[in-house]
Amino acid sequence: MRFGRTLTEAVYPPWKDKYIDYDKLKGLLRDDQPDEDADKWTEEDENRFCDEIFNVQLEKVAQFQQEQFDALRQRVHAAFEKLKKLAPTDPEHAVPKEEPSTAELKDLEKELDDITNEVKELKKFSSTNYTGFLKIVKKHDRKRGDRYKVRPMMQLSLAQRPFNSEQGYSPLLNKLSIMYFAIRQRLEEGDQAPLDLETQGETHNGERYTAHKFWVHPDNLLEVKTLILRHLPSLVYSEQASKEADGNDSPAVTSLYFDSRSFELYSEKVDRKTEASSLRLRWYSQLSSRPDIYLEKKTVDAGGKSHEAKFTIKDKWIKPFLDGEYSMEKSVQKMERQGRPADQIDEFKKTVQTIQEFIQQKKLSPVLRANYVRTAFQKPTDNRVRILIDTDLAFIREDTLDKRRPCRDPNDWHRADIDNSNMTYPFANINRSEVSKFPYAVLELKLKEDGSRKRPAWVQELMSSHLVHPVPRFSKFVHGVASLFDDYVNNLPFWLSDLETDIRKDPQKAFEDEEQRRAQQADDAMAVGSLIGGGAASGSYKMARSSPLSKSYLSERMAADAARTPRSASLGGKGKQPATGEEDEQEGERADGSGWGPEQQQQQQRGYGTLSSVIPSFSLSKYSRAKRRDQKAAASLPEGVVEPTEWIKNTGELKIEPKVWLANERTYLKWQHICILQGSVALALYTAAGEDFLAEVMGVVYILIAAFAGLWGYAMLRTRRGMIVERSGKDFDNYVGPIIMSVALMVALILNFFFQYRSAVKRWNEARGGHDGGGGGGGEEEAVVSAAGLLDELK
């Protein structure tokens, strides 16, 4: 399908004028002209095309995208404020408010649905325009590339703008998740947040895992592996792999991906349609060593969770199976001879039938090979944390789309030129247009979901470090198709723009950015809880020891909340408080919580993202509501402490002690005293100056110093009075005025002494020469004597 048609179908009607004008750009490019007319393309035509695409179209789309994103962010903030107003008050700290009605919650949920739909449309808008810009510049370079190339400049421009990047949406979607989670638990519609941008769920052997994907720059790869090896051993895949000639415990992995001629599976994954599926053949080491070959179908549901169905198949049966001529009858017979349970055999038949019908229905065939070296890290008896690192990643075409020059034999299921010759990375004998080498290593971190959602400290440190670059929902299949078949697809993944930038980061800046992000995330989570005075997030976020935010208001408030929590409520009956953070890591993080009291086990199971840690008063199960009603009556207070009958804000005006006001007034009077003394010195100098210009100048200087003292004293009186009324926590001292006063007075006295000394020396020389010293000296001497007397009084 041509991109022009795809663009027309993807247009969101209210924004139809804000999309890239693809037809206009094609007209400027003269796409309908034959290639023989390339010589008619002048520098003026090139300037006109570049000005339109960079200065008009790109700026139009980027500005509209930013405006819409800002508007959505304001709507999310407004909805968050509504939720805080609906939150019932925690009975431990205040009188409960009336429970919000179901209608109010449903109205707020409908508003969130509208915002979520707008977010989806905006992401689709960004993706469509991103693809459009890359398509038109590729068309330009194909027609005019012998003289002008603009694709590199366009890729750089797109990388510098928030096009098709999901990381910018994370704070927005986190707030939406918190609000959805709170409302739907109250309405008893489940407890799963509907939006999860950074993670993807997977199921293996009936157990749930959360997957996080990152890119690792080659410069950081050794450091990443060293960090992981401190906590997890390297996992040997099989005995065969450990006995390879090169002694490498990490064999090469080959994944052969399937798709239709229209790339239907690719489009479903990029567009994130419900029940998006992928199909691949996977084997380890070289095919000539006759390894086990797995045929795997992976399906991602609407909630982002993936489900996998697979079975092993021999290479000689793959082609008959793909053609529908063989349905694994021999494997079924073998299972029956081995006496396998009937339900296991039926499950195998169902899996085989489902995959074979899927292939026939979608008309799938191999189109792409991904070859890489995989290193796995996992404790042999502990599958809670599993890490995979794929290096030397290369994508190779396996399609037969071009009937004249197919990449593989249409009568075979794989490329014999690669497998028969045991060709390995970097695949130098393959045509360069048929292979794409990925520049980074791919790290995939899988965490087992055990209900606590608590990650080991070292895992959190790795995920937030400068060593890795997060790429949510990265897919080898999607990236390989986008890089090798961009002429056949009309939608490109968001992470392509990151390939045009250097993913290496400054360690300190990366650390500070991560701390800021986590602090903001925790602040959002605590917003409603802090409003109602709850100790909501005492465990939702913990600053790193060397964090630049560790002295911030947020950390001080969290420390104060923890200190206010009665110690008896957090002890498990033995007077010992459970360790947290780094202490958990040192003590082994006992997964079962043994040795802890029931409240500690419950608190351990509640991490960030659970309702009780986000909004304590919105833990709205029937049990929690009943517990809130009983808590007020059952709460025990220390001896001698009486439960208050009304809030402090209702007890009347809080008085400030008189000594605070009097201290401020005393300081003001001291400044006025200095002003009067200094003014007297200045007046004496100026009056006694007579005809002496120097004495007049010094008198004016002293007058200015006295005026400054008076004005500064009055200004500080008003400033400190406002701080007292507001009960400000700022410092009351201000050393600027005293320093200016002291320096000015010292300079004035030094200058006065210098000029008078010079005048006295002059008179002395004149007297020795028999000359008359003039009549101005007496006035000056009187002025100096008068000033000296006043200065003695000031001292």
Side-chain angles (χ1 to χ4, degrees):
M1 183 187 297
R2 293 182 175 275
F3 179 76
R5 180 180 173 186
T6 302
L7 176 62
T8 303
E9 295 176 354
V11 166
Y12 183 49
W15 302 343
K16 62 180 180 179
D17 296 333
K18 305 300 181 180
Y19 286 78
I20 178 177
D21 195 339
Y22 195 74
D23 292 335
K24 182 177 181 180
L25 292 173
K26 285 179 61 178
L28 291 175
L29 187 58
R30 302 175 192 170
D31 185 53
D32 54 345
Q33 292 184 358
D35 295 340
E36 291 77 12
D37 296 339
D39 295 338
K40 298 180 180 179
W41 184 261
T42 64
E43 185 174 353
E44 183 179 354
D45 297 329
E46 180 69 17
N47 293 335
R48 187 182 304 111
F49 176 82
C50 290
D51 180 71
E52 179 66 25
I53 193 171
F54 286 103
N55 299 332
V56 179
Q57 299 296 328
L58 186 57
E59 290 300 327
K60 175 185 71 174
V61 174
Q63 181 179 357
F64 178 77
Q65 193 269 351
Q66 187 63 47
E67 291 174 353
Q68 291 299 312
F69 181 81
D70 293 340
L72 287 172
R73 184 165 50 191
Q74 293 177 2
R75 291 176 62 186
V76 170
H77 179 72
F80 200 70
E81 293 298 321
K82 290 182 181 179
L83 179 64
K84 292 198 298 185
K85 293 178 181 178
L86 291 178
T89 307
D90 190 348
E92 290 186 359
H93 301 83
V95 179
K97 296 189 299 187
E98 183 179 353
E99 298 281 347
S101 65
T102 301
E104 291 176 319
L105 293 173
K106 283 192 172 293
D107 289 343
L108 185 55
E109 183 183 26
K110 183 178 181 303
E111 185 175 349
L112 295 182
D113 290 339
D114 294 339
I115 296 175
T116 304
N117 291 333
E118 288 285 327
V119 172
K120 292 180 180 178
E121 290 295 339
L122 185 59
K123 288 168 62 62
K124 185 178 178 182
F125 170 86
S126 300
S127 176
T128 302
N129 285 282
Y130 176 83
T131 305
F133 283 114
L134 290 184
K135 288 281 187 180
I136 195 65
V137 296
K138 182 176 182 180
K139 192 181 291 290
H140 168 277
D141 288 0
R142 183 185 297 134
K143 293 182 67 70
R144 318 297 179 189
D146 55 337
R147 297 171 58 192
Y148 308 100
K149 285 187 179 293
V150 298
R151 184 183 176 99
M153 193 189 325
M154 175 57 69
Q155 289 177 326
L156 181 61
S157 299
L158 292 175
Q160 294 173 347
R161 289 173 168 81
F163 270 106
N164 216 20
S165 174
E166 293 195 356
Q167 296 185 26
Y169 290 87
S170 294
L172 198 68
L173 298 180
N174 283 334
K175 272 193 176 183
L176 286 172
S177 296
I178 292 173
M179 291 187 282
Y180 267 120
F181 193 60
I183 293 173
R184 290 185 176 177
Q185 182 161 333
R186 160 51 82 86
L187 297 176
E188 298 182 352
E189 295 180 1
D191 59 352
Q192 295 297 324
L195 295 170
D196 193 356
L197 177 68
E198 299 178 351
T199 62
Q200 181 174 351
E202 294 186 2
T203 302
H204 294 286
N205 299 326
E207 296 180 332
R208 294 290 305 152
Y209 289 85
T210 300
H212 306 260
K213 296 183 179 181
F214 305 88
W215 291 348
V216 182
H217 194 277
D219 294 349
N220 298 328
L221 184 58
L222 180 60
E223 188 173 354
V224 170
K225 288 185 176 181
T226 304
L227 190 152
I228 297 173
L229 284 171
R230 293 174 184 171
H231 305 275
L232 297 178
S234 179
L235 180 67
V236 178
Y237 274 86
S238 64
E239 183 178 359
Q240 177 183 357
S242 64
K243 292 181 179 179
E244 288 185 351
D246 59 358
N248 185 8
D249 292 343
S250 302
V253 183
T254 301
S255 294
L256 197 63
Y257 293 98
F258 291 70
D259 209 336
S260 62
R261 298 185 65 85
S262 60
F263 291 93
E264 182 180 352
L265 300 187
Y266 168 87
S267 299
E268 290 178 355
K269 288 185 71 70
V270 175
D271 296 337
R272 293 193 186 174
K273 295 183 179 179
T274 58
E275 300 298 328
S277 301
S278 61
L279 185 71
R280 70 177 179 181
L281 285 165
R282 178 170 56 89
W283 64 89
Y284 297 95
S285 190
Q286 295 294 337
L287 193 61
S288 59
S289 63
R290 307 186 68 82
D292 293 333
I293 301 177
Y294 300 88
L295 183 57
E296 303 172 343
K297 178 192 175 188
K298 183 179 291 187
T299 302
V300 180
D301 59 21
K305 298 178 180 179
S306 64
H307 307 273
E308 190 175 70
K310 67 178 181 179
F311 60 87
T312 59
I313 184 173
K314 294 183 178 180
D315 56 352
K316 65 180 180 179
W317 299 118
I318 293 178
K319 181 60 176 176
F321 180 84
L322 298 179
D323 294 338
E325 301 172 356
Y326 175 71
S327 299
M328 304 300 295
E329 291 86 359
K330 292 186 178 295
S331 297
V332 173
Q333 294 172 5
K334 182 178 179 180
M335 295 174 68
E336 292 174 347
R337 289 195 304 267
Q338 294 175 345
R340 300 285 184 89
D343 55 347
Q344 186 177 353
I345 297 176
D346 292 339
E347 182 66 25
F348 178 79
K349 290 181 179 179
K350 182 179 179 181
T351 300
V352 170
Q353 182 181 0
T354 300
I355 294 179
Q356 194 165 45
E357 290 178 353
F358 179 70
I359 295 174
Q360 299 299 322
Q361 179 185 358
K362 299 288 186 178
K363 298 181 180 179
L364 304 179
S365 61
V367 296
L368 174 71
R369 174 190 298 239
N371 185 272
Y372 47 92
V373 175
R374 168 160 290 182
T375 306
F377 303 88
Q378 178 184 327
K379 292 181 181 179
T381 59
D382 187 355
N383 62 350
R384 289 180 298 174
V385 179
R386 177 181 173 87
I387 298 179
L388 308 173
I389 297 181
D390 298 333
T391 56
D392 295 343
L393 176 57
F395 302 98
I396 305 171
R397 291 183 60 164
E398 291 262 352
D399 64 283
T400 58
L401 298 176
D402 189 347
K403 298 297 184 181
R404 296 172 299 177
R405 297 178 59 189
C407 295
R408 63 171 168 84
D409 185 355
N411 297 320
D412 204 349
W413 61 273
H414 67 107
R415 289 187 63 155
D417 59 332
I418 297 177
D419 296 322
N420 292 346
S421 62
N422 292 334
M423 194 181 302
T424 59
Y425 188 88
F427 302 98
N429 297 331
I430 299 180
N431 191 308
R432 292 182 59 185
S433 63
E434 297 176 0
V435 61
S436 173
K437 299 169 188 174
F438 194 70
Y440 307 124
V442 178
L443 184 147
E444 185 174 3
L445 194 152
K446 297 182 179 180
L447 302 175
K448 184 178 179 181
E449 295 182 0
D450 55 1
S452 65
R453 297 189 181 182
K454 187 174 182 180
R455 303 166 182 163
W458 71 270
V459 172
Q460 183 63 45
E461 178 184 355
L462 174 63
M463 295 174 59
S464 60
S465 71
H466 69 285
L467 302 174
V468 297
H469 178 73
V471 190
R473 301 183 182 276
F474 175 77
S475 167
K476 296 185 183 71
F477 167 59
V478 171
H479 184 86
V481 173
S483 58
L484 292 174
F485 299 93
D486 54 345
D487 286 336
Y488 296 87
V489 296
N490 290 326
N491 202 353
L492 300 176
F494 67 90
W495 58 76
L496 283 184
S497 59
D498 291 346
L499 290 175
E500 306 302 324
T501 60
D502 190 352
I503 64 172
R504 289 173 294 185
K505 310 170 188 174
D506 176 70
Q508 181 63 24
K509 185 177 185 304
F511 176 79
E512 293 175 357
D513 291 345
E514 176 63 17
E515 288 294 295
Q516 290 282 0
R517 186 191 70 81
R518 293 174 61 197
Q520 181 61 47
Q521 189 179 56
D523 239 3
D524 290 342
M526 289 190 297
V528 174
S530 62
L531 177 68
I532 60 179
S538 59
S540 62
Y541 173 66
K542 184 173 182 178
M543 294 289 175
R545 290 183 177 179
S546 58
S547 169
L549 300 180
S550 57
K551 301 297 182 183
S552 67
Y553 167 73
L554 175 61
S555 60
E556 292 175 359
R557 186 181 71 185
M558 292 170 61
D561 289 343
R564 285 198 299 268
T565 304
R567 183 173 294 272
S568 60
S570 61
L571 298 179
K574 296 184 180 181
K576 183 176 180 180
Q577 195 167 358
T580 57
E582 290 83 355
E583 298 174 359
D584 283 345
E585 181 69 13
Q586 295 171 1
E587 297 182 8
E589 293 187 1
R590 302 178 67 178
D592 57 353
S594 59
W596 290 17
E599 292 190 12
Q600 283 74 35
Q601 295 183 22
Q602 182 181 5
Q603 184 175 4
Q604 185 199 27
Q605 293 173 358
R606 293 190 319 228
Y608 172 72
T610 59
L611 193 59
S612 56
S613 71
V614 175
I615 308 173
S617 60
F618 259 83
S619 298
L620 298 170
S621 62
K622 295 180 180 178
Y623 169 77
S624 297
R625 293 185 221 175
K627 184 178 180 181
R628 284 206 308 270
R629 288 194 297 267
D630 297 338
Q631 238 176 354
K632 190 174 181 180
S636 59
L637 297 175
E639 185 178 355
V641 178
V642 180
E643 183 179 2
T645 57
E646 61 180 335
W647 290 1
I648 295 179
K649 71 181 184 65
N650 297 332
T651 59
E653 182 181 1
L654 292 179
K655 296 183 179 180
I656 301 174
E657 293 189 24
K659 65 180 181 180
V660 178
W661 299 103
L662 297 178
N664 189 32
E665 292 178 3
R666 276 199 308 272
T667 305
Y668 169 70
L669 294 176
K670 286 290 185 181
W671 275 103
Q672 299 309 309
H673 181 66
I674 293 174
C675 174
I676 292 173
L677 290 178
Q678 188 65 35
S680 301
V681 173
L683 184 61
L685 280 173
Y686 190 84
T687 302
E691 299 295 327
D692 193 328
F693 176 76
L694 176 61
E696 290 181 346
V697 171
M698 296 308 301
V700 171
V701 171
Y702 283 123
I703 289 175
L704 294 177
I705 295 175
F708 173 80
L711 294 175
W712 177 265
Y714 180 77
M716 294 309 300
L717 173 71
R718 301 294 300 176
T719 301
R720 288 167 179 159
R721 182 184 184 281
M723 296 169 65
I724 294 171
V725 171
E726 296 173 359
R727 298 178 178 82
S728 173
K730 300 178 181 179
D731 293 332
F732 277 63
D733 59 325
N734 193 323
Y735 54 83
V736 176
I739 288 179
I740 294 177
M741 185 71 185
S742 301
V743 171
L745 184 58
M746 186 179 301
V747 170
L749 289 175
I750 291 174
L751 290 176
N752 186 25
F753 173 82
F754 172 77
F755 290 135
Q756 292 302 330
Y757 175 79
R758 190 176 62 176
S759 178
V761 170
K762 181 179 179 181
R763 290 197 304 272
W764 173 260
N765 292 332
E766 290 177 353
R768 291 184 62 183
H771 298 284
D772 186 12
E780 293 177 3
E781 291 173 358
E782 290 181 9
V784 172
V785 171
S786 245
L790 288 173
L791 286 175
D792 289 338
E793 183 182 351
L794 178 61
K795 293 180 181 177

